[in-house]
Amino acid sequence: MLESGYQLAPRAGEMDRRDGLKPGNRFLGRVVGCNGSRATIAAVAENGETSLTELWSVGKLVSISVGSNRVVALVYSMQTISEGWGEEASNTFRIEVELMGEVQVGPDGPEAFSAGISRYPYLGAIAHRIRVSDLARIYDPGQSDSCVIGKLTQDESLDATIHVPSMLAKHFAIVGTTGVGKSTAVTLLLNKAIAADPKLRVLILDPHNEFAAAFPDQAVVIDTDTLDLPFWFFRLEELAEVIFRGRPPVPDELDILRDVIADAKRAFKGTESGLMRRHTERSSITADTPVPYRIADLLAMIDERIGRLEGRNDKPHLRSLKNRIVSAVNDPRYHFMFSQNTITDTIEDTIARIFRIPGDDRPIATFELAGIPSEVVNSLASVLCRMAFEIGLWGNGAIHMLVVCEEAHRYVPADPTLGFLPTRQAIARIAKEGRKYGVSLGIITQRPGELDPTILSQCSTVFAMRLANDRDQEIIRSAISNSSISTTSFISSIGNGEAIAFGEAVAVPMRMRFARVEDARLPRAHGITDKVDDDAPPLADLRSIISRMRAVNGPDISSFQQSYLAAQTKQPPVHEENGLRGNPEIERFDRIRAQILSGDADRASDRSATAVKQQAGFGPPSSLREGSLRDSLLKRPLGSLIRK
């Protein structure tokens, strides 16, 4: 709807007149006070009329004539001089404005807006309604590749435009309370960004599973059923977050895990195992190197360390670590980490799928986190953000990556004692260094007060929607330059879909309303619809719901039994081929391997070996994909990895 000031203009073009004080002109009042950043305007409403006062409103721009130039000011406060309002008397009121810039008229006639002010208003200078042409000139980013994202609140006949490359070059943030339209704004901005940059690849960390509906033709949905993110992608701290279920790791167990992971990776590559390797030997493979290894190797090496002890209770942390690993492997919620596809080198396929390289006309990947255990979400966010930065770092600018973090205060909270340190470091690295390598960051949060201020300060473009919390409002005010601090004085009362945009992508702080998105492309969680038919019968499958809650399916052990028996009959005499028969240390290691393969709990050194047997298909039901740990045990016997 148009502002009332423009509705009252009787003829087209009369709003741009400035001929004295005739009725219908744009005269509003005169300047009665001014300092370096603000001014006070006095106006009189004669005979109790409100026709003049209707032209004023908080958040509206006005202009002040100073010679041939026009100073642009933002209204942020107004009040009458007297405490009451005279119905038949002349009422004097004052308006406080903040000086935003100046429309300068060149020697040859061209006009341009400048954020600086060459001549400040003098006392008695006339304040008037701003011209439509001046509004368009003020909010024009001045770039040919700008795009329209909505309409100006002050005059909806004018487009609200931003410069997308500037928005992505130094990151952006969208803040606002629940229900104001943040997700819809993200959908609109991402569509504009993809259209402006064909090389852009977008990864959305979606904790509510709502963006799949917003990009049906442009996004690939990655959820717990389609995700294959091998455990060997995780660095030591990230894997420890999973194994220790979000609790601080035990230092002794973490030290052992660091050693045995590196040994298991060397064993997978065919190098000397940690059993026979000299301690002085150095290798480029560490616990953080993204190369495959087998959980079976890891468990056997821990068992080998237990077997070398004089008394089995001397090192309880070894047994505890093994139990933690077996528990994580057998947890059906972690099937995406320990599936059959995670024991081979699939790093190229995994990166290509998650980060959309080359993309196949689907440049967006929505990573749905709602079904992933809470103790794993932080590790996943750390892995994905770290890999996104490394792709940009080593891609030599061939790929422009955008990582969108919904509910970002979960990953980088303001309190340094909360959250997961590797995730904080990965996101902070993108925020501080990502622009150098073509990696951008999009922050979406409803609580900017709980977000790390360092991360928010790196976002050069901010779209501030309605915020009700005083702490959150103060954070946004501190992010805006002092010359525009009054812009957010009314941020608690703007409507849904409205935002105050400021930063690199806009010329001056801009109050605007986002354009509408098609109903079919609105972000929504799975199964949520706008209209519910009361007469339609419920379609929920209770058995399916309970099955997903338990994440358990019935096992199919027939194929495993056949593979197991074939492997037992065809297994080569490894020790005779390598001349290792008679070595007590090797024979003890072979017995440990045999216990894991056979699953005989009575002969195993502890009951945790039974859990590995169950993983293979003989034990209680598990939803891990068939053959995940089975293949890792049978494809390459551990005895063949040991050299004399």
Side-chain angles (χ1 to χ4, degrees):
M1 180 177 178
L2 296 176
E3 295 287 350
S4 58
Y6 300 117
Q7 291 177 332
L8 295 176
R11 295 188 304 273
E14 188 173 352
M15 66 183 68
D16 286 348
R17 274 177 32 189
R18 211 170 14 146
D19 49 351
L21 304 180
K22 293 181 180 180
N25 64 10
R26 296 183 296 114
F27 173 80
L28 295 178
R30 293 185 180 272
V31 174
V32 296
C34 182
N35 59 24
S37 60
R38 291 178 171 83
T40 303
I41 300 173
V44 178
E46 298 180 353
N47 301 324
E49 290 290 334
T50 59
S51 58
L52 180 62
T53 60
E54 288 178 357
L55 304 181
W56 296 97
S57 65
V58 173
K60 182 181 292 187
L61 292 180
V62 298
S63 59
I64 303 172
S65 298
V66 182
S68 60
N69 297 338
R70 298 181 292 277
V71 175
V72 179
L74 174 71
V75 178
Y76 69 90
S77 175
M78 53 187 179
Q79 61 181 359
T80 60
I81 294 180
S82 61
E83 296 182 357
W85 182 268
E87 295 294 339
E88 301 295 336
S90 296
N91 297 278
T92 302
F93 55 96
R94 293 189 176 184
I95 300 94
E96 302 294 334
V97 297
E98 182 177 2
L99 306 180
M100 305 291 293
E102 182 180 48
V103 177
Q104 299 176 349
V105 181
D108 300 330
E111 299 180 350
F113 175 76
S114 172
I117 299 176
S118 60
R119 296 179 59 189
Y120 281 89
Y122 53 87
L123 295 180
I126 296 177
H128 47 84
R129 285 177 288 165
I130 195 168
R131 303 181 181 186
V132 176
S133 59
D134 285 350
L135 276 177
R137 190 174 292 110
I138 291 169
Y139 292 119
D140 183 10
Q143 303 287 341
S144 59
D145 51 352
S146 300
C147 64
V148 178
I149 62 171
K151 297 292 184 179
L152 296 180
T153 301
Q154 179 161 341
D155 186 354
E156 293 194 0
S157 65
L158 296 178
D159 293 330
T161 59
I162 62 171
H163 188 231
V164 173
S166 298
M167 180 185 74
L168 298 180
K170 297 182 181 179
H171 319 305
F172 69 94
I174 300 178
V175 300
T177 189
T178 302
V180 297
K182 295 191 301 297
S183 299
T184 304
V186 172
T187 302
L188 178 65
L189 291 176
L190 290 185
N191 281 320
K192 298 294 183 181
I194 293 171
D197 187 359
K199 295 194 302 181
L200 184 65
R201 295 295 178 266
V202 183
L203 174 65
I204 305 176
L205 301 182
D206 186 6
H208 304 303
N209 297 359
E210 59 182 356
F211 284 102
F215 305 100
D217 303 325
Q218 296 174 301
V220 169
V221 180
I222 302 176
D223 55 14
T224 54
D225 295 330
T226 60
L227 174 61
D228 279 311
L229 190 64
F231 57 88
W232 48 266
F233 267 60
F234 291 61
R235 288 186 173 179
L236 179 63
E237 292 81 3
E238 296 162 349
L239 184 62
E241 178 79 359
V242 178
I243 293 177
F244 290 90
R245 308 300 177 102
R247 294 184 292 271
V250 179
D252 291 339
E253 297 182 23
L254 187 64
D255 292 339
I256 295 173
L257 190 63
R258 180 182 292 107
D259 294 337
V260 295
I261 288 179
D263 291 341
K265 291 179 178 180
R266 296 187 190 98
F268 183 87
K269 293 181 68 67
T271 60
E272 291 185 356
S273 66
L275 191 67
M276 305 298 294
R277 180 176 57 88
R278 295 181 180 180
H279 295 286
T280 57
E281 178 186 355
R282 295 183 179 181
S283 174
S284 60
I285 297 180
T286 66
D288 294 335
T289 307
V291 297
Y293 65 96
R294 294 188 178 89
I295 294 296
D297 295 3
L298 201 68
L299 296 175
M301 290 174 182
I302 295 176
D303 280 339
E304 189 276 332
R305 292 194 178 202
I306 295 176
R308 286 188 301 178
L309 300 176
E310 296 275 335
R312 297 196 174 187
N313 294 326
D314 292 344
K315 298 289 185 179
H317 54 272
L318 284 170
R319 301 169 63 84
S320 176
L321 176 61
K322 180 180 176 181
N323 291 333
R324 294 181 194 275
I325 295 174
V326 173
S327 175
V329 170
N330 286 297
D331 194 326
R333 300 176 302 166
Y334 301 158
H335 70 278
F336 62 89
M337 295 178 57
F338 303 102
S339 68
Q340 62 182 0
N341 296 329
T342 61
I343 59 174
T344 56
D345 194 350
T346 58
I347 185 171
E348 184 175 346
D349 295 336
T350 301
I351 292 178
R353 172 173 172 77
I354 294 178
F355 295 98
R356 311 309 305 146
I357 303 172
D360 299 331
D361 297 330
R362 289 180 178 263
I364 302 176
T366 60
F367 211 102
E368 297 188 340
L369 303 175
I372 296 176
S374 58
E375 61 268 21
V376 186
V377 170
N378 285 329
S379 292
L380 279 178
S382 176
V383 172
L384 297 174
C385 293
R386 174 172 52 83
M387 291 174 61
F389 181 85
E390 292 178 354
I391 291 174
L393 175 64
W394 303 114
N396 297 324
I399 300 173
H400 186 185
M401 189 72 62
L402 171 61
V403 180
V404 179
C405 294
E406 176 74 87
E407 303 291 351
H409 57 274
R410 295 183 178 183
Y411 312 117
V412 280
D415 189 348
T417 61
L418 301 177
F420 185 45
L421 181 59
T423 306
R424 178 191 295 270
Q425 292 174 339
I427 296 178
R429 192 179 185 190
I430 295 177
K432 296 177 181 178
E433 306 176 33
R435 61 184 179 85
K436 303 177 183 178
Y437 309 107
V439 184
S440 303
L441 183 65
I443 295 296
I444 297 94
T445 179
Q446 57 181 318
R447 291 304 309 272
E450 297 180 0
L451 183 69
D452 187 352
T454 304
I455 303 298
L456 187 61
S457 66
Q458 298 293 331
C459 297
S460 62
T461 303
V462 177
F463 298 90
M465 308 183 80
R466 185 170 68 245
L467 290 169
N469 187 276
D470 293 338
R471 167 67 176 165
D472 297 334
Q473 296 177 28
E474 186 62 30
I475 293 296
I476 298 302
R477 293 190 184 101
S478 64
I480 304 180
S481 60
N482 291 332
S483 60
S484 307
I485 196 66
S486 298
T487 307
T488 58
S489 60
F490 46 87
I491 199 172
S492 61
S493 58
I494 59 178
N496 290 346
E498 277 191 278
I500 300 172
F502 58 91
E504 295 285 341
V506 295
V508 296
M510 172 178 63
R511 183 177 177 181
M512 46 81 63
R513 184 183 298 276
F514 285 106
R516 289 187 58 84
V517 178
E518 299 178 16
D519 292 342
R521 295 181 178 269
L522 287 174
R524 57 169 62 89
H526 297 327
I528 301 300
T529 58
D530 297 331
K531 183 179 180 180
V532 179
D533 189 357
D534 296 334
D535 298 331
L539 301 177
D541 186 353
L542 187 58
R543 293 184 179 180
S544 175
I545 295 175
I546 296 175
S547 176
R548 286 180 175 269
M549 292 172 59
R550 294 177 174 175
V552 172
N553 297 319
D556 181 10
I557 65 173
S558 59
S559 59
F560 173 78
Q561 289 175 335
Q562 296 175 1
S563 301
Y564 176 77
L565 295 176
Q568 289 294 93
T569 57
K570 297 181 180 180
Q571 183 174 340
V574 178
H575 298 310
E576 293 181 359
E577 293 178 356
N578 294 278
L580 300 180
R581 181 171 296 281
N583 188 330
E585 189 175 14
I586 300 301
E587 291 180 355
R588 181 172 65 254
F589 187 80
D590 185 61
R591 286 196 301 271
I592 295 172
R593 180 185 63 81
Q595 289 176 359
I596 296 178
L597 287 174
S598 64
D600 189 350
D602 295 332
R603 292 186 294 117
S605 59
D606 54 62
R607 288 186 171 273
S608 61
T610 306
V612 180
K613 174 186 172 185
Q614 295 170 353
Q615 166 64 31
F618 288 109
S622 173
S623 69
L624 289 177
R625 302 172 187 177
E626 181 189 353
S628 58
L629 191 56
R630 175 197 70 196
D631 291 345
S632 65
L633 291 172
L634 296 181
K635 282 186 176 180
R636 193 172 187 177
L638 295 175
S640 64
L641 303 177
I642 304 173
R643 298 180 182 176
K644 186 175 180 180

Coordinates of all heavy atoms in Angstrom, one line a residue, residues 261-318:
I261 N 44.1 -45.6 15.5 CA 43.5 -45.1 14.2 C 44.5 -45.0 13.1 O 44.4 -45.4 12.0 CB 42.7 -43.8 14.4 CG1 41.4 -44.1 15.2 CG2 42.3 -43.2 13.0 CD1 40.5 -42.9 15.4
A262 N 45.7 -44.3 13.5 CA 46.7 -44.2 12.5 C 47.3 -45.6 12.1 O 47.6 -45.8 10.9 CB 47.9 -43.3 13.2
D263 N 47.4 -46.5 13.1 CA 47.9 -47.8 12.7 C 46.9 -48.6 11.8 O 47.3 -49.3 10.8 CB 48.1 -48.7 14.0 CG 49.3 -48.1 14.8 OD1 50.1 -47.4 14.2 OD2 49.4 -48.4 16.0
A264 N 45.6 -48.4 12.1 CA 44.6 -49.1 11.2 C 44.6 -48.5 9.8 O 44.4 -49.2 8.8 CB 43.2 -48.9 11.9
K265 N 44.8 -47.2 9.7 CA 44.9 -46.6 8.3 C 46.1 -47.1 7.6 O 46.1 -47.4 6.4 CB 45.0 -45.1 8.4 CG 43.6 -44.5 8.9 CD 43.7 -43.0 9.0 CE 42.4 -42.4 9.5 NZ 42.4 -40.9 9.6
R266 N 47.2 -47.3 8.3 CA 48.4 -47.9 7.6 C 48.2 -49.3 7.2 O 48.6 -49.8 6.2 CB 49.6 -47.8 8.5 CG 50.0 -46.3 8.8 CD 51.3 -46.3 9.6 NE 51.6 -44.9 10.1 CZ 51.3 -44.5 11.4 NH1 50.8 -45.4 12.2 NH2 51.5 -43.3 11.7
A267 N 47.5 -50.0 8.1 CA 47.2 -51.4 7.8 C 46.3 -51.5 6.5 O 46.5 -52.4 5.7 CB 46.5 -52.1 9.0
F268 N 45.3 -50.6 6.4 CA 44.5 -50.7 5.2 C 45.2 -50.4 3.9 O 45.0 -51.0 2.9 CB 43.3 -49.6 5.4 CG 42.3 -49.7 4.3 CD1 41.2 -50.5 4.3 CD2 42.5 -48.8 3.2 CE1 40.3 -50.5 3.3 CE2 41.6 -48.8 2.1 CZ 40.5 -49.7 2.2
K269 N 46.2 -49.5 4.0 CA 47.0 -49.2 2.8 C 48.1 -50.2 2.5 O 48.8 -50.1 1.6 CB 47.6 -47.8 3.0 CG 46.6 -46.7 3.1 CD 47.3 -45.3 3.2 CE 48.1 -45.0 1.9 NZ 47.2 -44.7 0.8
G270 N 48.2 -51.2 3.4 CA 49.2 -52.3 3.1 C 50.5 -52.0 3.7 O 51.5 -52.8 3.5
T271 N 50.7 -51.0 4.5 CA 52.0 -50.7 5.1 C 52.2 -51.5 6.3 O 51.3 -52.3 6.7 CB 52.1 -49.2 5.4 OG1 51.1 -48.9 6.3 CG2 52.0 -48.4 4.2
E272 N 53.3 -51.4 7.0 CA 53.5 -52.2 8.2 C 52.5 -51.8 9.3 O 52.3 -50.6 9.5 CB 54.9 -52.0 8.7 CG 56.0 -52.6 7.8 CD 57.3 -52.4 8.4 OE1 57.4 -51.8 9.5 OE2 58.3 -52.9 7.8
S273 N 51.9 -52.8 9.9 CA 51.0 -52.5 11.0 C 51.7 -52.0 12.2 O 52.9 -52.0 12.4 CB 50.2 -53.8 11.3 OG 51.1 -54.7 11.9
G274 N 50.8 -51.4 13.1 CA 51.4 -50.9 14.3 C 52.0 -51.9 15.2 O 52.8 -51.6 16.1
L275 N 51.6 -53.2 15.0 CA 52.2 -54.3 15.8 C 53.7 -54.5 15.6 O 54.4 -54.8 16.5 CB 51.4 -55.6 15.4 CG 51.6 -56.8 16.3 CD1 51.1 -56.5 17.7 CD2 51.0 -58.0 15.7
M276 N 54.1 -54.3 14.3 CA 55.5 -54.6 14.0 C 56.3 -53.3 13.7 O 57.5 -53.3 13.5 CB 55.6 -55.5 12.7 CG 54.8 -56.8 12.9 SD 55.4 -57.8 14.2 CE 57.1 -58.2 13.6
R277 N 55.6 -52.1 13.6 CA 56.3 -50.9 13.3 C 57.2 -50.4 14.4 O 56.8 -50.4 15.6 CB 55.3 -49.8 12.9 CG 55.9 -48.5 12.5 CD 54.7 -47.6 12.0 NE 53.7 -47.4 13.1 CZ 53.8 -46.5 14.0 NH1 54.9 -45.6 14.0 NH2 52.9 -46.4 15.0
R278 N 58.3 -49.9 14.0 CA 59.2 -49.3 15.0 C 58.6 -48.0 15.5 O 58.1 -47.2 14.7 CB 60.6 -49.1 14.5 CG 61.3 -50.4 14.1 CD 62.7 -50.0 13.6 NE 63.5 -51.2 13.2 CZ 64.7 -51.3 12.7 NH1 65.3 -50.1 12.5 NH2 65.3 -52.4 12.5
H279 N 58.9 -47.7 16.7 CA 58.3 -46.4 17.3 C 59.0 -45.2 16.7 O 58.4 -44.1 16.7 CB 58.4 -46.4 18.8 CG 57.6 -47.5 19.5 ND1 56.2 -47.4 19.6 CD2 58.0 -48.7 20.0 CE1 55.8 -48.5 20.2 NE2 56.8 -49.2 20.5
T280 N 60.2 -45.4 16.2 CA 60.9 -44.2 15.7 C 60.6 -43.9 14.2 O 61.0 -42.9 13.7 CB 62.4 -44.5 15.7 OG1 62.7 -45.7 15.0 CG2 62.9 -44.6 17.2
E281 N 59.8 -44.8 13.6 CA 59.4 -44.6 12.2 C 58.4 -43.5 12.1 O 57.4 -43.5 12.9 CB 58.9 -45.9 11.6 CG 58.4 -45.8 10.2 CD 57.8 -47.0 9.7 OE1 57.8 -48.0 10.5 OE2 57.3 -47.0 8.6
R282 N 58.5 -42.6 11.1 CA 57.6 -41.5 10.9 C 56.8 -41.8 9.7 O 57.3 -42.4 8.7 CB 58.3 -40.2 10.8 CG 59.0 -39.8 12.1 CD 59.6 -38.4 11.9 NE 60.3 -38.0 13.1 CZ 60.9 -36.8 13.3 NH1 60.9 -35.9 12.3 NH2 61.4 -36.5 14.4
S283 N 55.5 -41.4 9.7 CA 54.7 -41.7 8.5 C 53.8 -40.4 8.3 O 53.5 -39.7 9.3 CB 53.8 -42.9 8.7 OG 52.8 -43.0 7.7
S284 N 53.4 -40.2 7.1 CA 52.5 -39.1 6.8 C 51.1 -39.3 7.2 O 50.3 -38.4 7.2 CB 52.6 -38.8 5.3 OG 52.2 -39.9 4.5
I285 N 50.7 -40.5 7.5 CA 49.4 -40.9 7.9 C 49.2 -40.7 9.4 O 49.9 -41.2 10.2 CB 49.0 -42.3 7.5 CG1 49.1 -42.5 6.0 CG2 47.6 -42.7 8.0 CD1 48.8 -43.9 5.5
T286 N 48.2 -39.8 9.7 CA 47.9 -39.6 11.1 C 46.4 -39.9 11.3 O 45.7 -40.4 10.4 CB 48.1 -38.1 11.5 OG1 47.2 -37.3 10.7 CG2 49.5 -37.7 11.1
A287 N 46.0 -39.7 12.6 CA 44.6 -40.0 12.9 C 43.6 -39.1 12.2 O 42.4 -39.4 12.1 CB 44.4 -39.9 14.4
D288 N 44.1 -37.9 11.7 CA 43.2 -37.0 11.0 C 43.3 -37.1 9.5 O 42.5 -36.4 8.8 CB 43.6 -35.5 11.4 CG 43.4 -35.2 12.8 OD1 42.5 -35.9 13.4 OD2 44.1 -34.4 13.4
T289 N 44.1 -38.0 8.9 CA 44.2 -38.1 7.5 C 43.0 -38.8 7.0 O 42.6 -39.9 7.4 CB 45.5 -38.9 7.1 OG1 46.6 -38.4 7.7 CG2 45.7 -39.0 5.6
P290 N 42.3 -38.2 5.9 CA 41.1 -38.8 5.4 C 41.3 -40.0 4.5 O 41.1 -39.9 3.3 CB 40.4 -37.7 4.7 CG 41.5 -36.8 4.2 CD 42.6 -36.9 5.3
V291 N 41.8 -41.1 5.0 CA 42.0 -42.3 4.3 C 41.2 -43.5 5.0 O 41.0 -43.4 6.2 CB 43.4 -42.7 4.1 CG1 44.2 -41.7 3.4 CG2 44.1 -42.9 5.5
P292 N 40.7 -44.5 4.2 CA 39.9 -45.5 4.8 C 40.6 -46.4 5.8 O 41.9 -46.5 5.7 CB 39.4 -46.3 3.6 CG 39.6 -45.4 2.4 CD 40.8 -44.6 2.8
Y293 N 39.9 -47.0 6.7 CA 40.4 -48.1 7.6 C 39.2 -48.9 8.1 O 38.1 -48.5 7.9 CB 41.2 -47.5 8.7 CG 40.4 -46.7 9.7 CD1 39.9 -47.2 10.9 CD2 40.3 -45.3 9.5 CE1 39.2 -46.4 11.8 CE2 39.6 -44.5 10.4 CZ 39.0 -45.1 11.5 OH 38.3 -44.3 12.4
R294 N 39.5 -50.0 8.7 CA 38.4 -50.9 9.1 C 38.3 -50.9 10.6 O 39.3 -50.9 11.3 CB 38.7 -52.3 8.6 CG 38.7 -52.5 7.1 CD 38.8 -54.0 6.8 NE 38.7 -54.2 5.3 CZ 39.8 -54.2 4.5 NH1 41.0 -54.0 5.0 NH2 39.6 -54.3 3.2
I295 N 37.1 -50.9 11.1 CA 36.8 -51.0 12.5 C 37.3 -52.3 13.0 O 37.8 -52.4 14.2 CB 35.3 -50.9 12.7 CG1 34.8 -49.5 12.4 CG2 35.0 -51.2 14.2 CD1 35.4 -48.4 13.2
A296 N 37.3 -53.4 12.2 CA 37.8 -54.7 12.7 C 39.3 -54.6 13.0 O 39.8 -55.1 14.0 CB 37.6 -55.8 11.6
D297 N 40.1 -53.9 12.2 CA 41.5 -53.6 12.5 C 41.6 -52.9 13.8 O 42.5 -53.2 14.6 CB 42.1 -52.9 11.3 CG 42.1 -53.7 10.0 OD1 41.6 -54.8 10.0 OD2 42.7 -53.2 9.0
L298 N 40.8 -51.9 13.9 CA 40.9 -51.1 15.1 C 40.6 -51.9 16.4 O 41.4 -51.8 17.4 CB 39.8 -49.9 15.0 CG 40.0 -48.7 15.9 CD1 41.3 -47.9 15.4 CD2 38.8 -47.8 15.8
L299 N 39.6 -52.7 16.4 CA 39.3 -53.5 17.5 C 40.4 -54.6 17.8 O 40.7 -54.9 18.9 CB 37.9 -54.2 17.3 CG 36.7 -53.3 17.2 CD1 35.5 -54.1 16.9 CD2 36.5 -52.5 18.5
A300 N 40.9 -55.2 16.7 CA 41.9 -56.2 16.9 C 43.2 -55.6 17.5 O 43.9 -56.2 18.3 CB 42.2 -56.9 15.5
M301 N 43.5 -54.4 17.1 CA 44.7 -53.7 17.6 C 44.5 -53.4 19.1 O 45.5 -53.4 19.9 CB 45.1 -52.5 16.8 CG 45.6 -52.8 15.4 SD 45.8 -51.4 14.4 CE 46.3 -52.1 12.8
I302 N 43.3 -53.0 19.5 CA 43.1 -52.8 20.9 C 43.1 -54.1 21.7 O 43.7 -54.1 22.8 CB 41.7 -52.1 21.1 CG1 41.7 -50.7 20.5 CG2 41.3 -52.0 22.6 CD1 40.4 -50.0 20.5
D303 N 42.6 -55.1 21.1 CA 42.7 -56.4 21.8 C 44.1 -56.9 21.9 O 44.5 -57.6 22.9 CB 41.8 -57.5 21.0 CG 40.4 -57.4 21.3 OD1 40.0 -56.8 22.4 OD2 39.5 -57.8 20.5
E304 N 44.9 -56.6 20.9 CA 46.3 -57.0 20.9 C 47.0 -56.3 22.1 O 47.9 -56.9 22.8 CB 47.0 -56.7 19.6 CG 48.4 -57.2 19.4 CD 49.4 -56.3 20.0 OE1 49.2 -55.1 20.0 OE2 50.5 -56.8 20.4
R305 N 46.7 -55.0 22.3 CA 47.3 -54.3 23.4 C 46.8 -54.9 24.7 O 47.6 -54.9 25.7 CB 46.9 -52.8 23.3 CG 47.6 -52.1 22.1 CD 47.4 -50.6 22.3 NE 48.1 -49.9 21.2 CZ 48.5 -48.6 21.3 NH1 48.3 -47.9 22.4 NH2 49.1 -48.0 20.2
I306 N 45.6 -55.3 24.8 CA 45.1 -55.9 26.0 C 45.8 -57.2 26.3 O 46.2 -57.5 27.4 CB 43.6 -56.1 26.0 CG1 42.8 -54.8 25.9 CG2 43.1 -56.9 27.2 CD1 41.3 -54.9 25.7
G307 N 46.0 -58.0 25.2 CA 46.7 -59.3 25.4 C 48.2 -59.2 25.8 O 48.7 -60.1 26.4
R308 N 48.8 -58.0 25.5 CA 50.2 -57.9 25.9 C 50.4 -57.5 27.4 O 51.5 -57.4 27.9 CB 50.9 -56.8 25.1 CG 51.1 -57.3 23.6 CD 51.9 -56.2 22.9 NE 51.3 -54.9 22.8 CZ 51.8 -53.9 22.2 NH1 53.0 -53.9 21.7 NH2 51.1 -52.7 22.2
L309 N 49.3 -57.2 28.1 CA 49.4 -56.8 29.5 C 49.6 -58.0 30.4 O 49.1 -59.1 30.1 CB 48.1 -56.0 29.9 CG 47.9 -54.8 29.1 CD1 46.6 -54.1 29.5 CD2 49.0 -53.8 29.2
E310 N 50.3 -57.7 31.5 CA 50.5 -58.8 32.5 C 49.2 -59.2 33.1 O 48.9 -60.4 33.2 CB 51.5 -58.3 33.6 CG 52.8 -57.9 33.0 CD 53.7 -59.2 33.0 OE1 53.5 -60.1 33.7 OE2 54.7 -59.2 32.1
G311 N 48.4 -58.2 33.5 CA 47.1 -58.5 34.1 C 46.0 -57.7 33.3 O 46.2 -56.6 32.9
R312 N 44.9 -58.4 33.0 CA 43.9 -57.8 32.1 C 43.2 -56.6 32.8 O 42.6 -55.8 32.1 CB 42.9 -58.8 31.7 CG 43.5 -60.0 30.9 CD 42.5 -60.8 30.2 NE 43.1 -61.8 29.3 CZ 42.4 -62.5 28.5 NH1 41.1 -62.4 28.4 NH2 43.1 -63.4 27.7
N313 N 43.3 -56.4 34.1 CA 42.7 -55.3 34.7 C 43.6 -54.2 35.0 O 43.2 -53.2 35.6 CB 42.1 -55.8 36.1 CG 40.9 -56.8 35.9 OD1 40.2 -56.7 34.9 ND2 40.8 -57.7 36.8
D314 N 44.9 -54.3 34.5 CA 45.8 -53.2 34.7 C 45.4 -52.0 33.9 O 45.7 -50.9 34.3 CB 47.2 -53.7 34.3 CG 47.8 -54.7 35.2 OD1 47.2 -54.9 36.3 OD2 48.7 -55.4 34.9
K315 N 44.8 -52.1 32.7 CA 44.5 -51.0 31.8 C 43.0 -51.0 31.5 O 42.6 -51.4 30.4 CB 45.3 -51.1 30.5 CG 46.8 -51.0 30.7 CD 47.2 -49.6 31.2 CE 48.7 -49.5 31.2 NZ 49.2 -48.1 31.6
P316 N 42.1 -50.7 32.5 CA 40.7 -50.7 32.2 C 40.2 -49.8 31.1 O 39.2 -50.0 30.5 CB 40.1 -50.4 33.5 CG 41.1 -49.6 34.2 CD 42.4 -50.2 33.8
H317 N 41.0 -48.7 30.8 CA 40.6 -47.8 29.8 C 40.6 -48.4 28.4 O 39.9 -48.0 27.5 CB 41.5 -46.5 29.8 CG 43.0 -46.8 29.7 ND1 43.7 -47.0 30.8 CD2 43.8 -46.9 28.7 CE1 45.0 -47.3 30.4 NE2 45.0 -47.2 29.1
L318 N 41.5 -49.4 28.2 CA 41.5 -50.1 26.9 C 40.2 -50.9 26.7 O 39.6 -50.8 25.6 CB 42.6 -51.1 26.9 CG 44.0 -50.6 26.7 CD1 45.1 -51.6 26.9 CD2 44.2 -50.0 25.3

